[in-house]
Amino acid sequence: MAEFMTETELRSPVVPCPGTAEERWGRADDAGPLEGHEAAALLECTRAVVDPELHAALESLPGAMRRIALYHFGRQHADGTPATGDAGKAIRPALVLAAAAALGGPAARTAAVRAAVAVELVHNVTLLHDDVMDRDTSRRHRPTAWTVFGVTDAILAGDALQALALRLLAEDPHPAAGPAAARLADCVVELCAGQYTDTNLERGAPEGVTLAEVLAMAEARTGALLGCACALGALYAGAGPGDVAALDGFGRQAGLAFQLIDDVIGIWGDPRHTGKPAGADLAARKKSLPVVAALSTGTEAAAELAELYGTPCVAGDTEGVALAALAVERAGGRDWAQAEAADRMARAVQELSRAVPDPEAAGGLLMLAEFVTRRGS
Amino acid sequence: MAEFMTETELRSPVVPCPGTAEERWGRADDAGPLEGHEAAALLECTRAVVDPELHAALESLPGAMRRIALYHFGRQHADGTPATGDAGKAIRPALVLAAAAALGGPAARTAAVRAAVAVELVHNVTLLHDDVMDRDTSRRHRPTAWTVFGVTDAILAGDALQALALRLLAEDPHPAAGPAAARLADCVVELCAGQYTDTNLERGAPEGVTLAEVLAMAEARTGALLGCACALGALYAGAGPGDVAALDGFGRQAGLAFQLIDDVIGIWGDPRHTGKPAGADLAARKKSLPVVAALSTGTEAAAELAELYGTPCVAGDTEGVALAALAVERAGGRDWAQAEAADRMARAVQELSRAVPDPEAAGGLLMLAEFVTRRGS
C-alpha cells in the first residue's frame, strides 16, 4: 500500500495536504484493510492544518491565560520556555475535517478548519476542568495544569478556552457557523452533565449502579463530543438535518466503542503502553463498563468482585488487583465489553452509511473510528 | 414626579412595560434629579421582560445542571422545592435593554432580550466560579452553590451556563447576534484575566501592588461586563463601531465608578445594609482600591496601614479594623476613591453623550449608572 502522504507533505505547514493526499482525505484504500499508519498520517495531516489556527487562537489570549493554555497544550514548559510536548492525537478535529470532506469534498474540509479548532478547544476545556475535579496529577505524560498553576488558574484557563472556542465560530462568516456554535454549546452542556453523572456514580456504592447508567454516562462523556465533531463537519458541508444526525450517531457510537475498549485497557492493558500500573482502574475501584457489566451478572464471580470493591485497594496490592481482574473476566465483563464495542462499531458504520453510502468517501471517517477503537485489539 | 410604572404594569408578566412606560424606557424625567425608585422600577421591569427567557433557558438544562442553576438563581431551595430567593438586581440585562432602547428605540429593546439573558448568564458564571476560587460561602444572603452541591458541581454548572449563554446568541437569527456572541466571548476572556490578576494581587505583598494594577484589574473584573452589556445593546440597535465603542466605554467607566464606591462601602459601609461586618475588607486584608491608594501615598498613615496589613487580622479584632479604616482615611484613600468615582462617572457620561447626544434618550442608561454608583452616598 502506498504511503498516505510524503514526508515533505507532512512537514509543510502551509499547504500540508496537497495533491493526491488532499483528494484522498475522505477515502480509504479499497485494496485492503485499513491500516494504522494511514490513520496516523491523517491525524498528522490534521495537526498540520489545525495547529496554525489553534496556535493563533491561543496566542490571542491575554498573558496569564495564554501561558496556562500553552502549557496545557504542550507548547510551553511551566517556566514559559518553548516545548514540543504531546498535544494529544487530534482525533476530534480530524473527525470534523473528515466528515466535512466525506459530505462536501475538499472545499468543505478547508471551510471547517475553524470548527475543528473550536472542537479541539472544547475537548481541552473538559480536560483542564476534569483534571481539577478528579484531582488527576498527570496528563499526556506531564503534570496537569492545576498541579503547576493551581486550581484557580486551571479553572480560569478552561473558562477562557470555552469562550475562545465559541468566539471562533461567532467570528466565522460561513453560514454553518451559527448552527455549529449552537450544537457545540449544546455539547458542552451534555459533557458537563456526563461528568456530573460520572462523579456521582463513582461516589456511590457499586451495587447501586446499572449498566444502562454507565452506558448513558459514557455516551455523554465520550460519545457526545465525537458525535458533535462529525456533526459540525457535516454542517460545514451543507448537509441536511438527516445527514447531520447520522454523522452525530456515527461519532457517538464510535465514541462508545472507544470507551469500551479504553475500559478494557484500563484493566488488562500493558503498563508499557498505557503509562499506568496494570489494573489501575481496578485499584481505584473505578466503576468502568466491564466492571459494572460483571457486577450485574449475579454470578459467583460478581459476588467476589463486589466484595473486593467493598473495601479500598491497599497501595501495591497487585494480588488483589489480579483477583479483581480475574473476577471481572470470569463474570464475563471482558467478553461483554469487547462484544459491545464491536456492536457499537457496527452501529456506527450503519449510521455512517446512511449519510455517506459511498464507501470510498466514507473511508477517512471509518479509518479514524477504527484507529481509536483498535488500540485494544 | 410621576411613578415610572403602575403597579399593574410591574406585575404583568407578558407585556410588562406597555404604553407610556415602554416609551419612557430610554428616558429620564427631565424635570428633576434622577431618583432611585425610577431606576428600581426600570430594574423590576427588566426582570419582568428577561426572567421568562432566562427561566426557559435554565429549564432547558439537563437535570443536575438545572437544579444547581435554579438554586444559584434563587428559584429553588437546595432540596429542589420552589423558592423566591434574590436573583440579583439585573443591572447588566437592564443595561443591554436600555442601550438598545437609547440607540434603536423599543423595537431594538425587544430584539435584545436574548442578549440581555446571555449577559446575565455570563455574570452568573463568574459568580459561581469566583465563589469556588475565593471559597466564598455566602451569596445573596444564601449559602453559595459550591457549599451546597460541592466544588465539582459548581464548576460544571458554571461551564454549562457559559455554554447556554453563547447558545442563546448562536440560535438568535438577529444580524447582531454573531458580533454580539464574539464580543461576549471576548468579555469572558477578559473577566477570566481580571479574576486571575485579582487572585494574584491578593496573594502578593501589599507593597508590590500599584494603583494602576488594581484599577486595570477592576476594569477587567467589573467594567468589562458592564461595558459589554451596553455594547451588546448598541449592536442590537444596529449601531456602528464608534457608537458601540462609546457605549462600551460608558459601561466600563460606570463599572469602575461602581467598584470604587463598592470598595468604599467594603470599609465604611453600614453592616445593616451590607450584610457583612464593618470593615470586612480590611479584616480580610483585601487590597481594595482605597487601600492601595492609601498605601501608595508614602504618608505616615500609609506606613501604619502597611504595618497593620503585614499581619493577618485576628478574628473579632474590631479595634484593629477601626485603626486600619482610620489609616486609610488619614492617608486620603477614602477621598481619593470618592473623587475617582466621580471622575469615572463624568467620563462615563462623556462617552455616552458621544453616542447618544439626546439627554432624553440617554436617560435610562444614566439612571442605571447613577443607581449602581449611588449606594455609597
Side-chain angles (χ1 to χ4, degrees):
Chain A
M1 193 183 293
E3 277 300 302
F4 182 69
M5 298 187 67
T6 66
E7 274 293 302
T8 320
E9 283 166 348
L10 279 172
R11 277 190 203 136
S12 161
V14 184
V15 192
C17 309
T20 354
E22 171 76 59
E23 286 151 25
R24 294 185 59 195
W25 189 280
R27 292 167 171 74
D29 195 305
D30 50 6
L34 300 167
E35 299 215 350
H37 70 271
E38 275 210 297
L42 191 58
L43 291 170
E44 200 159 337
C45 187
T46 299
R47 283 244 82 98
V49 180
V50 164
D51 273 3
E53 284 269 354
L54 177 64
H55 195 72
L58 297 178
E59 285 292 330
S60 77
L61 290 170
M65 296 297 103
R66 183 170 66 237
R67 190 163 151 200
I68 303 161
L70 290 174
Y71 172 82
H72 170 77
F73 276 95
R75 290 163 186 271
Q76 282 189 0
H77 296 293
D79 63 2
T81 54
T84 51
D86 179 7
K89 288 186 295 294
I91 296 284
R92 290 156 194 82
L95 286 172
V96 176
L97 302 185
L103 284 158
R109 186 182 68 76
T110 303
V113 169
R114 213 178 280 194
V117 174
V119 168
E120 186 68 351
L121 286 169
V122 162
H123 174 51
N124 282 279
V125 172
T126 66
L127 299 183
L128 274 163
H129 282 187
D130 288 0
D131 285 344
V132 168
M133 297 170 203
D134 303 338
R135 289 287 186 268
D136 280 334
T137 54
S138 173
R139 161 83 52 202
R140 296 167 186 158
H141 308 289
R142 300 166 82 216
T144 45
W146 73 268
T147 65
V148 175
F149 299 96
V151 164
T152 291
D153 297 2
I155 296 175
L156 290 171
D159 289 349
L161 289 186
Q162 190 194 152
L164 199 56
L166 289 157
R167 196 191 66 184
L168 278 179
L169 295 177
E171 284 174 343
D172 187 353
H174 194 282
R183 199 156 188 124
L184 187 58
D186 267 340
C187 182
V188 169
V189 174
E190 191 175 353
L191 291 166
C192 291
Q195 167 72 357
Y196 172 88
T197 310
D198 192 7
T199 316
N200 280 277
L201 287 181
E202 288 302 330
R203 275 185 208 141
E207 308 84 59
V209 180
T210 68
L211 199 48
E213 280 175 326
V214 281
L215 276 169
M217 183 272 289
E219 182 174 336
R221 282 209 63 186
T222 310
L225 190 53
L226 298 191
C228 181
C230 298
L232 259 56
L235 284 169
Y236 272 79
D243 286 352
V244 173
L247 266 286
D248 183 75
F250 162 75
R252 278 179 186 267
Q253 297 300 332
L256 268 173
F258 160 74
Q259 193 57 60
L260 285 153
I261 298 298
D262 202 53
D263 282 0
V264 167
I265 294 171
I267 299 176
W268 296 280
D270 185 336
R272 285 170 300 179
H273 296 148
T274 62
K276 293 187 210 170
D281 282 0
L282 294 175
R285 302 295 188 237
K286 212 168 167 297
K287 298 180 197 84
S288 65
L289 288 156
V291 168
V292 176
L295 287 170
S296 63
T297 56
T299 57
E300 199 182 311
E304 270 174 46
L305 181 63
E307 204 183 317
L308 285 164
Y309 259 55
T311 51
C313 184
V314 179
D317 178 15
T318 49
E319 199 187 332
V321 168
L323 275 176
L326 198 61
V328 178
E329 189 148 13
R330 278 169 44 223
R334 185 177 192 165
D335 287 346
W336 171 83
Q338 274 166 337
E340 185 73 16
D343 180 50
R344 296 293 176 165
M345 266 304 280
R347 290 198 216 179
V349 172
Q350 204 175 1
E351 291 275 9
L352 180 58
S353 67
R354 273 173 51 204
V356 191
D358 173 11
E360 222 182 301
L365 285 167
L366 284 171
M367 198 191 289
L368 291 167
E370 292 263 338
F371 179 80
V372 295
T373 53
R374 181 173 291 206
R375 299 200 298 142
S377 62
Chain B
M1 191 181 294
E3 277 300 302
F4 183 69
M5 297 186 68
T6 66
E7 275 292 302
T8 320
E9 283 166 348
L10 279 172
R11 277 192 203 133
S12 162
V14 184
V15 191
C17 308
T20 356
E22 171 76 59
E23 286 150 27
R24 295 184 59 195
W25 189 279
R27 291 165 171 77
D29 194 305
D30 50 6
L34 299 167
E35 298 212 354
H37 70 272
E38 275 210 297
L42 191 57
L43 290 171
E44 201 160 336
C45 187
T46 299
R47 283 245 81 98
V49 179
V50 164
D51 273 3
E53 284 270 354
L54 176 64
H55 195 72
L58 298 178
E59 285 291 332
S60 77
L61 290 170
M65 296 296 104
R66 183 171 66 237
R67 189 163 153 199
I68 302 161
L70 289 174
Y71 172 83
H72 170 77
F73 277 95
R75 290 164 186 269
Q76 282 189 359
H77 296 293
D79 64 3
T81 54
T84 51
D86 179 5
K89 287 186 295 295
I91 296 284
R92 291 157 193 82
L95 287 172
V96 176
L97 301 185
L103 284 158
R109 186 182 69 74
T110 303
V113 169
R114 214 179 279 194
V117 175
V119 167
E120 186 68 350
L121 286 170
V122 161
H123 174 52
N124 282 280
V125 172
T126 66
L127 299 182
L128 273 164
H129 282 187
D130 289 0
D131 285 344
V132 167
M133 297 170 201
D134 303 338
R135 289 287 187 269
D136 280 334
T137 54
S138 174
R139 162 82 52 201
R140 297 166 186 157
H141 309 289
R142 300 166 82 216
T144 45
W146 74 267
T147 65
V148 175
F149 299 96
V151 165
T152 291
D153 297 2
I155 296 175
L156 290 171
D159 290 349
L161 289 186
Q162 190 194 152
L164 198 56
L166 289 156
R167 195 191 67 185
L168 277 179
L169 295 176
E171 284 174 343
D172 186 353
H174 195 282
R183 198 155 189 127
L184 186 59
D186 267 340
C187 182
V188 170
V189 174
E190 190 175 354
L191 292 166
C192 291
Q195 167 71 359
Y196 172 89
T197 310
D198 192 7
T199 317
N200 280 276
L201 288 181
E202 288 301 330
R203 274 184 208 140
E207 308 85 58
V209 180
T210 69
L211 199 48
E213 280 174 326
V214 280
L215 277 169
M217 183 272 289
E219 182 174 338
R221 281 208 64 185
T222 310
L225 190 54
L226 298 191
C228 181
C230 298
L232 259 56
L235 284 169
Y236 272 79
D243 286 352
V244 174
L247 265 287
D248 183 76
F250 163 74
R252 277 178 187 269
Q253 297 301 331
L256 268 172
F258 161 73
Q259 192 56 61
L260 285 153
I261 299 298
D262 201 53
D263 282 0
V264 168
I265 294 170
I267 299 176
W268 295 280
D270 185 334
R272 284 169 301 178
H273 297 147
T274 63
K276 293 187 210 171
D281 283 0
L282 294 174
R285 301 297 187 234
K286 212 168 167 297
K287 298 182 196 84
S288 65
L289 289 156
V291 167
V292 176
L295 286 170
S296 63
T297 55
T299 56
E300 198 182 312
E304 269 173 47
L305 182 62
E307 204 182 317
L308 286 164
Y309 259 55
T311 51
C313 184
V314 179
D317 179 15
T318 49
E319 199 188 334
V321 168
L323 275 175
L326 197 62
V328 178
E329 188 148 14
R330 279 168 45 225
R334 184 177 193 165
D335 287 346
W336 171 83
Q338 273 166 338
E340 184 73 16
D343 181 50
R344 296 294 176 163
M345 265 304 279
R347 290 198 217 178
V349 172
Q350 204 175 2
E351 291 276 8
L352 180 58
S353 67
R354 273 173 51 205
V356 191
D358 173 12
E360 221 182 301
L365 285 166
L366 284 171
M367 198 190 288
L368 291 168
E370 292 263 339
F371 178 80
V372 294
T373 53
R374 179 172 291 206
R375 298 200 299 142
S377 60

PDB file of all heavy atoms in Angstrom, chain A residues 334-358:
ATOM      1  N   ARG A 334     -15.247  -8.881  30.503  1.00  0.00           N
ATOM      2  CA  ARG A 334     -14.320  -8.596  29.415  1.00  0.00           C
ATOM      3  C   ARG A 334     -14.951  -8.944  28.067  1.00  0.00           C
ATOM      4  O   ARG A 334     -14.917  -8.142  27.122  1.00  0.00           O
ATOM      5  CB  ARG A 334     -13.021  -9.377  29.616  1.00  0.00           C
ATOM      6  CG  ARG A 334     -11.963  -9.055  28.594  1.00  0.00           C
ATOM      7  CD  ARG A 334     -10.670  -9.812  28.885  1.00  0.00           C
ATOM      8  NE  ARG A 334      -9.567  -9.301  28.071  1.00  0.00           N
ATOM      9  CZ  ARG A 334      -8.294  -9.573  28.308  1.00  0.00           C
ATOM     10  NH1 ARG A 334      -7.938 -10.322  29.326  1.00  0.00           N
ATOM     11  NH2 ARG A 334      -7.349  -9.074  27.514  1.00  0.00           N
ATOM     12  N   ASP A 335     -15.519 -10.138  28.004  1.00  0.00           N
ATOM     13  CA  ASP A 335     -16.162 -10.582  26.752  1.00  0.00           C
ATOM     14  C   ASP A 335     -17.308  -9.644  26.371  1.00  0.00           C
ATOM     15  O   ASP A 335     -17.472  -9.274  25.204  1.00  0.00           O
ATOM     16  CB  ASP A 335     -16.696 -12.014  26.893  1.00  0.00           C
ATOM     17  CG  ASP A 335     -15.564 -13.038  26.890  1.00  0.00           C
ATOM     18  OD1 ASP A 335     -14.434 -12.646  26.511  1.00  0.00           O
ATOM     19  OD2 ASP A 335     -15.803 -14.191  27.275  1.00  0.00           O
ATOM     20  N   TRP A 336     -18.099  -9.276  27.387  1.00  0.00           N
ATOM     21  CA  TRP A 336     -19.227  -8.388  27.109  1.00  0.00           C
ATOM     22  C   TRP A 336     -18.726  -7.062  26.515  1.00  0.00           C
ATOM     23  O   TRP A 336     -19.273  -6.591  25.509  1.00  0.00           O
ATOM     24  CB  TRP A 336     -20.028  -8.098  28.381  1.00  0.00           C
ATOM     25  CG  TRP A 336     -21.048  -7.016  28.149  1.00  0.00           C
ATOM     26  CD1 TRP A 336     -22.288  -7.167  27.613  1.00  0.00           C
ATOM     27  CD2 TRP A 336     -20.880  -5.612  28.380  1.00  0.00           C
ATOM     28  NE1 TRP A 336     -22.915  -5.943  27.497  1.00  0.00           N
ATOM     29  CE2 TRP A 336     -22.075  -4.969  27.961  1.00  0.00           C
ATOM     30  CE3 TRP A 336     -19.847  -4.824  28.899  1.00  0.00           C
ATOM     31  CZ2 TRP A 336     -22.254  -3.583  28.051  1.00  0.00           C
ATOM     32  CZ3 TRP A 336     -20.021  -3.452  28.988  1.00  0.00           C
ATOM     33  CH2 TRP A 336     -21.220  -2.848  28.568  1.00  0.00           C
ATOM     34  N   ALA A 337     -17.698  -6.485  27.144  1.00  0.00           N
ATOM     35  CA  ALA A 337     -17.199  -5.177  26.692  1.00  0.00           C
ATOM     36  C   ALA A 337     -16.699  -5.275  25.256  1.00  0.00           C
ATOM     37  O   ALA A 337     -16.948  -4.383  24.436  1.00  0.00           O
ATOM     38  CB  ALA A 337     -16.099  -4.679  27.618  1.00  0.00           C
ATOM     39  N   GLN A 338     -16.014  -6.370  24.949  1.00  0.00           N
ATOM     40  CA  GLN A 338     -15.483  -6.485  23.590  1.00  0.00           C
ATOM     41  C   GLN A 338     -16.589  -6.711  22.563  1.00  0.00           C
ATOM     42  O   GLN A 338     -16.560  -6.135  21.477  1.00  0.00           O
ATOM     43  CB  GLN A 338     -14.389  -7.559  23.530  1.00  0.00           C
ATOM     44  CG  GLN A 338     -13.038  -6.922  23.915  1.00  0.00           C
ATOM     45  CD  GLN A 338     -11.940  -7.910  24.232  1.00  0.00           C
ATOM     46  OE1 GLN A 338     -12.217  -9.055  24.593  1.00  0.00           O
ATOM     47  NE2 GLN A 338     -10.697  -7.462  24.121  1.00  0.00           N
ATOM     48  N   ALA A 339     -17.575  -7.518  22.936  1.00  0.00           N
ATOM     49  CA  ALA A 339     -18.708  -7.745  22.027  1.00  0.00           C
ATOM     50  C   ALA A 339     -19.519  -6.455  21.844  1.00  0.00           C
ATOM     51  O   ALA A 339     -19.936  -6.113  20.732  1.00  0.00           O
ATOM     52  CB  ALA A 339     -19.599  -8.856  22.580  1.00  0.00           C
ATOM     53  N   GLU A 340     -19.705  -5.736  22.967  1.00  0.00           N
ATOM     54  CA  GLU A 340     -20.470  -4.488  22.914  1.00  0.00           C
ATOM     55  C   GLU A 340     -19.732  -3.447  22.054  1.00  0.00           C
ATOM     56  O   GLU A 340     -20.364  -2.712  21.274  1.00  0.00           O
ATOM     57  CB  GLU A 340     -20.675  -3.947  24.336  1.00  0.00           C
ATOM     58  CG  GLU A 340     -21.557  -2.716  24.441  1.00  0.00           C
ATOM     59  CD  GLU A 340     -23.053  -2.981  24.224  1.00  0.00           C
ATOM     60  OE1 GLU A 340     -23.466  -4.152  24.288  1.00  0.00           O
ATOM     61  OE2 GLU A 340     -23.799  -2.009  23.960  1.00  0.00           O
ATOM     62  N   ALA A 341     -18.411  -3.412  22.178  1.00  0.00           N
ATOM     63  CA  ALA A 341     -17.619  -2.477  21.364  1.00  0.00           C
ATOM     64  C   ALA A 341     -17.805  -2.796  19.882  1.00  0.00           C
ATOM     65  O   ALA A 341     -17.990  -1.893  19.053  1.00  0.00           O
ATOM     66  CB  ALA A 341     -16.151  -2.548  21.764  1.00  0.00           C
ATOM     67  N   ALA A 342     -17.772  -4.077  19.559  1.00  0.00           N
ATOM     68  CA  ALA A 342     -17.952  -4.489  18.161  1.00  0.00           C
ATOM     69  C   ALA A 342     -19.346  -4.107  17.677  1.00  0.00           C
ATOM     70  O   ALA A 342     -19.521  -3.612  16.547  1.00  0.00           O
ATOM     71  CB  ALA A 342     -17.731  -6.003  18.032  1.00  0.00           C
ATOM     72  N   ASP A 343     -20.318  -4.305  18.554  1.00  0.00           N
ATOM     73  CA  ASP A 343     -21.700  -3.966  18.205  1.00  0.00           C
ATOM     74  C   ASP A 343     -21.839  -2.456  17.967  1.00  0.00           C
ATOM     75  O   ASP A 343     -22.502  -2.021  17.017  1.00  0.00           O
ATOM     76  CB  ASP A 343     -22.622  -4.426  19.338  1.00  0.00           C
ATOM     77  CG  ASP A 343     -24.081  -4.112  19.047  1.00  0.00           C
ATOM     78  OD1 ASP A 343     -24.541  -4.462  17.942  1.00  0.00           O
ATOM     79  OD2 ASP A 343     -24.743  -3.485  19.907  1.00  0.00           O
ATOM     80  N   ARG A 344     -21.214  -1.666  18.847  1.00  0.00           N
ATOM     81  CA  ARG A 344     -21.288  -0.206  18.692  1.00  0.00           C
ATOM     82  C   ARG A 344     -20.607   0.242  17.401  1.00  0.00           C
ATOM     83  O   ARG A 344     -21.073   1.143  16.717  1.00  0.00           O
ATOM     84  CB  ARG A 344     -20.628   0.489  19.884  1.00  0.00           C
ATOM     85  CG  ARG A 344     -21.326   0.231  21.204  1.00  0.00           C
ATOM     86  CD  ARG A 344     -22.707   0.861  21.217  1.00  0.00           C
ATOM     87  NE  ARG A 344     -23.441   0.555  22.445  1.00  0.00           N
ATOM     88  CZ  ARG A 344     -24.529   1.195  22.828  1.00  0.00           C
ATOM     89  NH1 ARG A 344     -25.057   2.148  22.080  1.00  0.00           N
ATOM     90  NH2 ARG A 344     -25.144   0.867  23.950  1.00  0.00           N
ATOM     91  N   MET A 345     -19.499  -0.411  17.070  1.00  0.00           N
ATOM     92  CA  MET A 345     -18.826  -0.067  15.824  1.00  0.00           C
ATOM     93  C   MET A 345     -19.714  -0.395  14.635  1.00  0.00           C
ATOM     94  O   MET A 345     -19.773   0.350  13.651  1.00  0.00           O
ATOM     95  CB  MET A 345     -17.491  -0.816  15.712  1.00  0.00           C
ATOM     96  CG  MET A 345     -16.310  -0.013  16.220  1.00  0.00           C
ATOM     97  SD  MET A 345     -16.131   1.611  15.412  1.00  0.00           S
ATOM     98  CE  MET A 345     -15.325   1.108  13.891  1.00  0.00           C
ATOM     99  N   ALA A 346     -20.412  -1.514  14.718  1.00  0.00           N
ATOM    100  CA  ALA A 346     -21.320  -1.900  13.632  1.00  0.00           C
ATOM    101  C   ALA A 346     -22.424  -0.853  13.478  1.00  0.00           C
ATOM    102  O   ALA A 346     -22.775  -0.443  12.362  1.00  0.00           O
ATOM    103  CB  ALA A 346     -21.922  -3.277  13.920  1.00  0.00           C
ATOM    104  N   ARG A 347     -22.936  -0.380  14.643  1.00  0.00           N
ATOM    105  CA  ARG A 347     -23.976   0.656  14.577  1.00  0.00           C
ATOM    106  C   ARG A 347     -23.399   1.947  13.991  1.00  0.00           C
ATOM    107  O   ARG A 347     -24.073   2.646  13.233  1.00  0.00           O
ATOM    108  CB  ARG A 347     -24.494   0.965  15.984  1.00  0.00           C
ATOM    109  CG  ARG A 347     -25.307  -0.157  16.584  1.00  0.00           C
ATOM    110  CD  ARG A 347     -26.121   0.404  17.755  1.00  0.00           C
ATOM    111  NE  ARG A 347     -26.220  -0.574  18.829  1.00  0.00           N
ATOM    112  CZ  ARG A 347     -26.838  -0.368  19.977  1.00  0.00           C
ATOM    113  NH1 ARG A 347     -27.409   0.810  20.220  1.00  0.00           N
ATOM    114  NH2 ARG A 347     -26.896  -1.288  20.909  1.00  0.00           N
ATOM    115  N   ALA A 348     -22.159   2.254  14.370  1.00  0.00           N
ATOM    116  CA  ALA A 348     -21.514   3.463  13.850  1.00  0.00           C
ATOM    117  C   ALA A 348     -21.428   3.406  12.331  1.00  0.00           C
ATOM    118  O   ALA A 348     -21.786   4.362  11.624  1.00  0.00           O
ATOM    119  CB  ALA A 348     -20.118   3.624  14.465  1.00  0.00           C
ATOM    120  N   VAL A 349     -20.994   2.244  11.838  1.00  0.00           N
ATOM    121  CA  VAL A 349     -20.830   2.078  10.385  1.00  0.00           C
ATOM    122  C   VAL A 349     -22.191   2.192   9.688  1.00  0.00           C
ATOM    123  O   VAL A 349     -22.305   2.800   8.620  1.00  0.00           O
ATOM    124  CB  VAL A 349     -20.151   0.715  10.086  1.00  0.00           C
ATOM    125  CG1 VAL A 349     -20.151   0.423   8.598  1.00  0.00           C
ATOM    126  CG2 VAL A 349     -18.731   0.702  10.645  1.00  0.00           C
ATOM    127  N   GLN A 350     -23.202   1.635  10.341  1.00  0.00           N
ATOM    128  CA  GLN A 350     -24.553   1.702   9.788  1.00  0.00           C
ATOM    129  C   GLN A 350     -25.038   3.156   9.685  1.00  0.00           C
ATOM    130  O   GLN A 350     -25.580   3.575   8.666  1.00  0.00           O
ATOM    131  CB  GLN A 350     -25.471   0.906  10.712  1.00  0.00           C
ATOM    132  CG  GLN A 350     -26.723   0.390  10.046  1.00  0.00           C
ATOM    133  CD  GLN A 350     -27.522  -0.492  11.016  1.00  0.00           C
ATOM    134  OE1 GLN A 350     -27.128  -0.674  12.174  1.00  0.00           O
ATOM    135  NE2 GLN A 350     -28.621  -1.040  10.534  1.00  0.00           N
ATOM    136  N   GLU A 351     -24.825   3.910  10.751  1.00  0.00           N
ATOM    137  CA  GLU A 351     -25.209   5.328  10.750  1.00  0.00           C
ATOM    138  C   GLU A 351     -24.470   6.059   9.625  1.00  0.00           C
ATOM    139  O   GLU A 351     -25.063   6.836   8.876  1.00  0.00           O
ATOM    140  CB  GLU A 351     -24.848   5.994  12.089  1.00  0.00           C
ATOM    141  CG  GLU A 351     -25.658   5.535  13.284  1.00  0.00           C
ATOM    142  CD  GLU A 351     -26.987   6.291  13.424  1.00  0.00           C
ATOM    143  OE1 GLU A 351     -27.349   7.056  12.500  1.00  0.00           O
ATOM    144  OE2 GLU A 351     -27.662   6.102  14.448  1.00  0.00           O
ATOM    145  N   LEU A 352     -23.192   5.791   9.532  1.00  0.00           N
ATOM    146  CA  LEU A 352     -22.386   6.480   8.523  1.00  0.00           C
ATOM    147  C   LEU A 352     -22.875   6.174   7.117  1.00  0.00           C
ATOM    148  O   LEU A 352     -22.975   7.070   6.271  1.00  0.00           O
ATOM    149  CB  LEU A 352     -20.907   6.078   8.681  1.00  0.00           C
ATOM    150  CG  LEU A 352     -19.919   6.717   7.703  1.00  0.00           C
ATOM    151  CD1 LEU A 352     -19.957   8.239   7.802  1.00  0.00           C
ATOM    152  CD2 LEU A 352     -18.501   6.213   7.981  1.00  0.00           C
ATOM    153  N   SER A 353     -23.215   4.903   6.893  1.00  0.00           N
ATOM    154  CA  SER A 353     -23.623   4.516   5.538  1.00  0.00           C
ATOM    155  C   SER A 353     -24.948   5.161   5.132  1.00  0.00           C
ATOM    156  O   SER A 353     -25.236   5.310   3.947  1.00  0.00           O
ATOM    157  CB  SER A 353     -23.703   2.988   5.408  1.00  0.00           C
ATOM    158  OG  SER A 353     -24.763   2.513   6.209  1.00  0.00           O
ATOM    159  N   ARG A 354     -25.751   5.553   6.136  1.00  0.00           N
ATOM    160  CA  ARG A 354     -26.997   6.278   5.823  1.00  0.00           C
ATOM    161  C   ARG A 354     -26.681   7.607   5.155  1.00  0.00           C
ATOM    162  O   ARG A 354     -27.351   8.020   4.201  1.00  0.00           O
ATOM    163  CB  ARG A 354     -27.776   6.567   7.106  1.00  0.00           C
ATOM    164  CG  ARG A 354     -28.712   5.479   7.561  1.00  0.00           C
ATOM    165  CD  ARG A 354     -29.301   5.792   8.926  1.00  0.00           C
ATOM    166  NE  ARG A 354     -29.879   7.130   9.021  1.00  0.00           N
ATOM    167  CZ  ARG A 354     -30.034   7.816  10.150  1.00  0.00           C
ATOM    168  NH1 ARG A 354     -29.613   7.288  11.288  1.00  0.00           N
ATOM    169  NH2 ARG A 354     -30.585   9.007  10.151  1.00  0.00           N
ATOM    170  N   ALA A 355     -25.665   8.300   5.681  1.00  0.00           N
ATOM    171  CA  ALA A 355     -25.346   9.632   5.172  1.00  0.00           C
ATOM    172  C   ALA A 355     -24.323   9.590   4.046  1.00  0.00           C
ATOM    173  O   ALA A 355     -24.358  10.422   3.130  1.00  0.00           O
ATOM    174  CB  ALA A 355     -24.825  10.507   6.307  1.00  0.00           C
ATOM    175  N   VAL A 356     -23.413   8.622   4.128  1.00  0.00           N
ATOM    176  CA  VAL A 356     -22.331   8.536   3.128  1.00  0.00           C
ATOM    177  C   VAL A 356     -22.299   7.112   2.592  1.00  0.00           C
ATOM    178  O   VAL A 356     -21.504   6.281   3.031  1.00  0.00           O
ATOM    179  CB  VAL A 356     -20.959   8.910   3.755  1.00  0.00           C
ATOM    180  CG1 VAL A 356     -19.906   9.079   2.663  1.00  0.00           C
ATOM    181  CG2 VAL A 356     -21.052  10.167   4.608  1.00  0.00           C
ATOM    182  N   PRO A 357     -23.189   6.802   1.634  1.00  0.00           N
ATOM    183  CA  PRO A 357     -23.264   5.414   1.150  1.00  0.00           C
ATOM    184  C   PRO A 357     -22.000   4.980   0.392  1.00  0.00           C
ATOM    185  O   PRO A 357     -21.684   3.789   0.380  1.00  0.00           O
ATOM    186  CB  PRO A 357     -24.483   5.407   0.229  1.00  0.00           C
ATOM    187  CG  PRO A 357     -25.004   6.797   0.155  1.00  0.00           C
ATOM    188  CD  PRO A 357     -24.180   7.687   1.012  1.00  0.00           C
ATOM    189  N   ASP A 358     -21.301   5.929  -0.210  1.00  0.00           N
ATOM    190  CA  ASP A 358     -20.094   5.591  -0.975  1.00  0.00           C
ATOM    191  C   ASP A 358     -18.954   5.218  -0.022  1.00  0.00           C
ATOM    192  O   ASP A 358     -18.440   6.073   0.695  1.00  0.00           O
ATOM    193  CB  ASP A 358     -19.702   6.814  -1.830  1.00  0.00           C
ATOM    194  CG  ASP A 358     -18.370   6.612  -2.531  1.00  0.00           C
ATOM    195  OD1 ASP A 358     -17.863   5.480  -2.539  1.00  0.00           O
ATOM    196  OD2 ASP A 358     -17.836   7.619  -3.044  1.00  0.00           O
TER     197      ASP A 358
END
